[in-house]
Amino acid sequence: WRIRENLQEKSQPQAVKAMHKAIKEVTEDIECFKFNTAIAALMEFVNVIYQSAADKEVYQNLILLLSPIAPHF
């Protein structure tokens, strides 16, 4: 919830880079049924978002990546 409250107009480059890395890792891990490593990649992504600014696009991609693991969000 804190991420949603602290959205910025534009993401920092670290957040965008981490987003693309997380998309790749989570997609590959879920296809191979490696759910633990997919969750670990999401945790790394969230840590980068906390350290830098995130915009609406980064936030939406985080929610989409979380949806197979935590559909109630």
Side-chain angles (χ1 to χ4, degrees):
W1 301 118
R2 286 185 284 166
I3 294 172
R4 174 70 175 113
E5 292 174 357
N6 296 325
L7 290 180
Q8 304 293 320
E9 288 295 319
K10 185 174 180 183
S11 290
Q12 291 184 355
Q14 301 97 318
V16 175
K17 184 177 179 180
M19 176 185 70
H20 291 294
K21 181 181 175 187
I23 289 170
K24 181 180 183 288
E25 289 180 5
V26 171
T27 302
E28 290 173 354
D29 289 343
I30 289 178
E31 287 175 355
C32 295
F33 299 103
K34 297 179 180 178
F35 299 112
N36 289 340
T37 54
I39 293 169
L42 286 169
M43 291 171 59
E44 291 175 11
F45 182 36
V46 168
N47 288 335
V48 171
I49 291 174
Y50 281 143
Q51 294 170 358
S52 60
D55 64 357
K56 188 176 180 180
E57 177 189 7
V58 172
Y59 179 70
Q60 287 177 340
N61 281 307
L62 172 64
I63 299 301
L64 286 174
L65 290 171
L66 272 173
S67 63
I69 298 165
H72 56 280
F73 276 131

